[in-house]
Amino acid sequence: MEASVEQLVFVREDEYTVARMSAESVPAFVATGRALAGAQPGETLRLSGDWAEHPRYGRRFAVAACERIVPATVRAITIYLGSGLIRGIGPRLAYAIVDHFGEATLKVIDAEPERLTEVVNIGPARQGQIVRAWREQKQIAALMVTLQGFGVSPLLAAKVYQVYGDDSAEVLASDPYRMIGRVRGVAFHTADRIALQSGVPERSPQRVQAALLDRLESAAGRDGHCFVPLPNLVAQTAELIEQEQGLVARAVDALQAERRVVVEAAPDQPGGAAVYTKQTHGREVRLAAELTRLMRARSTLPLRAFTEDTSLHDDQRAAVNMALTSTVSVLTGGPGVGKSHTVKAIATTVRAAGGRVTLAAPTGKAAKRLSELTGLPAMTVHRMLAHQPDPAKLFDETPVQADLVVVDEASMLDLHLTTRLATAVPSGTHLLFIGDSDQLPSIGAGDVLADLLKVEAVPRVQLTHVFRQAGGSGIVEAAHRIRAGRMPLTPGRGGFWFEELDDPAKVADRVAHLAMEAIPRKQGVDPSQVQVLCPMRRGETGTLELGRRIQERLNPAGDGKDEHWSGSTVFRVGDRVMPIRNNYDKGVFNGEIGTVTAVVRQDRVVELRTDDGEIVQYGFDELDDLTHAYAISVHRSQGSEYPFVVAPIVAEAGGIMLRRRLLYTLVTRAKAWVVLVGQREALELAVHRLGRPRNTGLARRLAHSLDL
């Protein structure tokens, strides 16, 4: 039958879709199946399948095959144009257009678009917008058909078009490997499926080189490595494409000759060689050089006297003196040891002598927290560097105007951001990194704080004295026990609680109940004050499933509540969301929290208000940059603090993410209470398992450079 999509009800991660439909013969019914993947409200589909009786939901149409067709009836055309699929047309304008042109409406838009100005309220600008959106939708629809022919998700069509525009079909036909790393959701397996079906030989240099670069990029994106040992890279790539290692080794040589990768001697690595992408190698070399420049420079700080502030503990006083006398230095310490008080003392001393101080942190949340704790203004590192002419250019020489730059939460600094930072700091300015080396490393490649601490020539002070007030907190005590490799069980101490449950399904139920009902009721707070943190993304206790469950409870679908499905994620008015990428144009940064205030179909945008009161719009094609904040990963929580934290601790999928640094970071995100729910053996695993160090060469380069 031919039917129009009225509303998406549910989209699962495997693309199984439930939609409300209407047809001439069946005014209202529900259709289900993976064949509906990518369907959008307003589209007309030709469906094949069978009617089935669901024991809970009743009669539904199980779709076996689905074909997108041009709507033909006046009603279907009106629904299509008014659905928001065509930017610039809302329900009222859709009615006016169809009322004027009738069943010929779509032919007019396609073949005689200049006639649109015959309709009231359509001028040349609106007419041009409608025509561009119409042609864009036609090309995306064609791409969906092409991708389905390759057995690839049609949901990727809009993402491919967003990157390549009118060249999308040519990219798919000539070099699908170009999409890896550029089109979100396209990994090697997806591009390889398209390429092989298009006739690319299995042993082609194009395929082998794409696989090699994919393994390097995956090592950086998934595990934070800056390089991969040569024999490991060859073996991993050979396994990925099911070819012999000799073929792969020759491809490495070819990529090196083309200067797309750098193979560097590394005596301490398997095979004695490390392979970098050209970009990562350049950043690592540059960062070592810039840090060396800063450390060797003569200080321009107006004050170089030692402080005798008696209100400071001995190690705090040592930290102040270090920051005042060393052009590059590192201050570390766990919770409750007075890092923020020390920063305030350093900044106050410099300012009293007429010096300029800039306080910064990697995320907006961390910068705001630093400002609150010190009583001094702070900003994100990105914002500090944003005045550079082109943020996309890595090494613009626009200096930061300050005598002292203090960067908090330095464990979150990746290689890319730290290189930009060090390059922008003028010689003579002091650069102080502050962080907790036991927290998780950055999401991006590199482990800058750990590398700095490996170089003996870099001055550092570790604060170890836990102050009495902080020492009374169960959170602080639990955190220090975790650091020491001990179970964080502190009976009778407020602030930390572990509730033992074995079944992951029951753990998920309990976490959701605590976050939505028990803690808000007992503490007299809104559920938004309780943050669920998850070690895993998938599984019953992962961010996806728990987040969906909490969303459906706290902000369910309802009549008159606007929403938009982007893949398997639905954005509703009232949802709590978080940007996962920095966007300089919008002025939003990774880790900030906002609330969806509107879904404007006509303009194809989701509007949100940040916790700072700013109004920001995301286009429907930009929603991959947002994630729901009901349950987030521990990595995403870095730099933030929440009044109450609830977290599942289970060994699903072998508990591959359970590490001491992850557990430590999780516990230290809470200000008042942290409640862990799960398996005792999973908690023990997290406490005792140390993560593998990242493959980086910064410490070696910096030590060598400073010795010269």
Side-chain angles (χ1 to χ4, degrees):
M1 72 177 105
E2 293 181 5
S4 296
V5 182
E6 301 282 347
Q7 180 187 9
L8 295 180
V9 177
F10 180 75
V11 183
R12 210 163 55 195
E13 268 207 295
D14 63 0
E15 299 179 358
Y16 176 85
T17 302
V18 179
R20 291 194 177 95
M21 313 282 293
S22 64
E24 294 294 330
S25 57
V26 189
F29 68 97
V30 173
T32 66
R34 294 183 66 189
L36 286 171
Q40 290 292 317
E43 288 187 313
T44 298
L45 310 175
R46 182 176 290 121
L47 306 177
S48 302
D50 296 291
W51 290 102
E53 193 72 24
H54 191 279
R56 180 176 176 184
Y57 298 110
R59 192 166 184 252
R60 308 201 297 182
F61 191 74
V63 179
C66 167
E67 177 188 356
R68 285 163 177 80
I69 61 175
V70 177
T73 67
V74 167
R75 179 178 181 276
I77 294 171
T78 305
I79 293 173
Y80 176 72
L81 291 181
S83 67
L85 276 171
I86 308 301
R87 184 180 283 107
I89 302 180
R92 289 184 180 179
L93 189 56
Y95 179 82
I97 295 172
V98 178
D99 185 59
H100 187 78
F101 295 113
E103 292 182 354
T105 295
L106 299 184
K107 292 181 181 178
V108 169
I109 296 175
D110 198 41
E112 303 175 275
E114 66 279 359
R115 291 189 59 195
L116 283 170
T117 55
E118 297 174 14
V119 180
V120 176
N121 292 328
I122 297 184
R126 176 67 64 86
Q127 182 256 1
Q129 181 187 29
I130 292 171
V131 170
R132 287 192 298 273
W134 167 258
R135 290 177 178 165
E136 176 182 313
Q137 283 303 312
K138 282 186 65 178
Q139 293 202 50
I140 290 174
L143 284 173
M144 293 177 81
V145 173
T146 302
L147 290 171
Q148 283 180 310
F150 288 122
V152 173
S153 169
L155 296 177
L156 292 174
K159 298 176 183 179
V160 174
Y161 187 84
Q162 185 182 5
V163 175
Y164 295 107
D166 294 343
D167 297 328
S168 298
E170 172 62 24
V171 170
L172 286 176
S174 63
D175 188 6
Y177 295 114
R178 284 171 58 189
M179 298 187 294
I180 302 172
R182 291 204 63 196
V183 178
R184 289 171 196 160
V186 176
F188 177 80
H189 288 293
T190 300
D192 197 43
R193 177 193 287 263
I194 297 171
L196 292 177
Q197 291 188 49
S198 300
V200 174
E202 290 187 354
R203 295 172 59 84
S204 70
Q206 177 190 28
R207 180 175 186 246
V208 182
Q209 290 179 14
L212 274 165
L213 292 173
D214 175 75
R215 291 300 84 194
L216 279 175
E217 295 291 350
S218 294
R222 185 187 63 246
D223 300 318
H225 295 310
C226 292
F227 67 81
V228 178
L230 178 59
N232 296 14
L233 178 63
V234 170
Q236 292 166 13
T237 305
E239 182 180 2
L240 177 66
I241 60 176
E242 298 181 342
Q243 299 294 326
E244 70 272 16
Q245 293 191 15
L247 178 68
V248 177
R250 291 191 292 275
V252 174
D253 293 338
L255 286 172
Q256 185 179 21
E258 296 171 12
R259 297 185 178 181
R260 297 171 68 187
V261 303
V262 176
V263 182
E264 192 173 72
D268 59 332
Q269 295 298 320
V275 185
Y276 292 80
T277 64
K278 179 183 177 181
Q279 187 179 49
T280 300
H281 183 267
R283 286 172 178 164
E284 202 175 77
V285 170
R286 183 63 183 260
L287 179 54
E290 295 295 344
L291 289 172
T292 300
R293 169 183 64 83
L294 292 172
M295 290 186 68
R296 287 179 171 169
R298 181 183 294 273
S299 171
T300 58
L301 201 64
L303 173 75
R304 285 187 287 280
F306 288 91
T307 181
E308 300 296 337
D309 188 343
T310 56
S311 70
L312 299 174
H313 191 268
D314 289 347
D315 54 5
Q316 290 179 310
R317 195 157 46 248
V320 173
N321 292 329
M322 173 188 69
L324 298 178
T325 56
S326 303
T327 49
V328 175
S329 57
V330 181
L331 173 62
T332 64
V337 296
K339 293 194 296 293
S340 299
H341 184 67
T342 306
V343 173
K344 186 174 182 179
I346 294 169
T348 301
T349 304
V350 173
R351 286 182 168 184
R356 298 163 299 175
V357 180
T358 295
L359 302 185
T363 68
K365 279 278 192 180
K368 184 176 181 180
R369 181 178 164 219
L370 176 62
S371 181
E372 291 171 348
L373 291 172
T374 62
L376 301 170
M379 68 183 81
T380 64
V381 177
H382 305 88
R383 204 177 294 279
M384 180 174 67
L385 301 173
H387 65 275
Q388 294 188 2
D390 182 0
K393 292 182 180 178
L394 183 60
F395 303 126
D396 282 342
E397 300 292 349
T398 303
V400 172
Q401 298 300 317
D403 298 297
L404 170 67
V405 176
V406 179
V407 183
D408 197 16
E409 297 286 357
S411 64
M412 300 174 64
L413 290 173
D414 63 12
L415 179 65
H416 169 74
L417 184 58
T418 315
T419 305
R420 285 191 61 205
L421 167 67
T423 302
V425 175
S427 297
T429 293
H430 288 221
L431 178 58
L432 173 63
F433 295 98
I434 300 178
D436 188 339
S437 57
D438 291 303
Q439 286 191 22
L440 284 171
S442 59
I443 294 177
D447 198 353
V448 174
L449 180 61
D451 285 340
L452 289 174
L453 292 173
K454 291 176 185 174
V455 181
E456 291 185 5
V458 176
R460 83 286 307 274
V461 168
Q462 181 179 10
L463 303 181
T464 57
H465 178 74
V466 179
F467 290 88
R468 183 175 302 172
Q469 185 177 2
S473 164
I475 295 173
V476 171
E477 182 171 342
H480 283 281
R481 290 175 70 92
I482 292 168
R483 290 182 76 188
R486 298 160 60 197
M487 286 287 280
L489 303 180
T490 54
R493 185 64 60 86
F496 179 88
W497 183 260
F498 173 64
E499 185 170 325
E500 189 170 356
L501 279 176
D502 281 333
D503 183 4
K506 292 182 179 178
V507 170
D509 289 339
R510 183 59 176 161
V511 167
H513 174 73
L514 285 166
M516 293 184 293
E517 297 180 26
I519 292 177
R521 183 178 63 248
K522 185 172 183 178
Q523 300 294 330
V525 298
D526 188 87
S528 64
Q529 298 295 297
V530 185
Q531 183 62 58
V532 174
L533 301 181
C534 302
M536 304 283 289
R537 184 170 180 265
R538 302 187 184 278
E540 289 183 287
T541 59
T543 59
L544 297 176
E545 185 58 36
L546 268 172
R548 188 192 292 267
R549 182 184 300 200
I550 296 171
Q551 179 194 28
E552 288 304 317
R553 180 66 178 272
L554 295 181
N555 192 30
D559 292 339
K561 183 181 289 185
D562 292 327
E563 65 179 35
H564 173 72
W565 284 87
S566 176
S568 61
T569 303
V570 60
F571 292 90
R572 296 191 184 107
V573 172
D575 276 340
R576 297 281 286 169
V577 295
M578 171 188 290
I580 59 174
R581 294 178 182 86
N582 300 312
N583 189 309
Y584 302 97
D585 294 332
K586 298 183 191 297
V588 296
F589 299 98
N590 178 15
E592 293 181 325
I593 301 285
T595 302
V596 175
T597 54
V599 177
V600 187
R601 291 197 170 278
Q602 179 174 333
D603 298 330
R604 296 183 63 76
V605 298
V606 169
E607 181 181 279
L608 59 98
R609 179 186 289 108
T610 69
D611 283 352
D612 291 332
E614 299 293 325
I615 302 297
V616 183
Q617 289 187 336
Y618 279 81
F620 284 0
D621 57 359
E622 298 178 301
L623 293 178
D624 279 351
D625 286 352
L626 293 178
T627 186
H628 285 97
Y630 297 110
I632 63 174
S633 70
V634 179
H635 252 122
R636 294 281 176 215
S637 73
Q638 279 187 272
S640 299
E641 272 194 341
Y642 312 95
F644 304 94
V645 167
V646 184
I649 302 293
V650 298
E652 281 190 289
I656 57 174
M657 296 300 294
L658 293 178
R659 299 286 192 276
R660 184 182 298 173
R661 290 173 81 171
L662 181 139
L663 180 63
Y664 176 79
T665 304
L666 187 163
V667 168
T668 54
R669 296 311 89 203
K671 289 192 286 188
W673 273 92
V674 57
V675 181
L676 307 182
V677 182
Q679 303 155 346
R680 180 177 290 265
E681 59 268 27
L683 182 60
E684 290 177 345
L685 179 67
V687 168
H688 297 299
R689 182 192 277 171
L690 299 176
R692 292 176 53 196
R694 292 183 169 185
N695 296 334
T696 70
L698 177 61
R700 172 179 55 80
R701 292 185 204 284
L702 183 57
H704 177 73
S705 180
L706 291 172
D707 284 342
L708 291 179

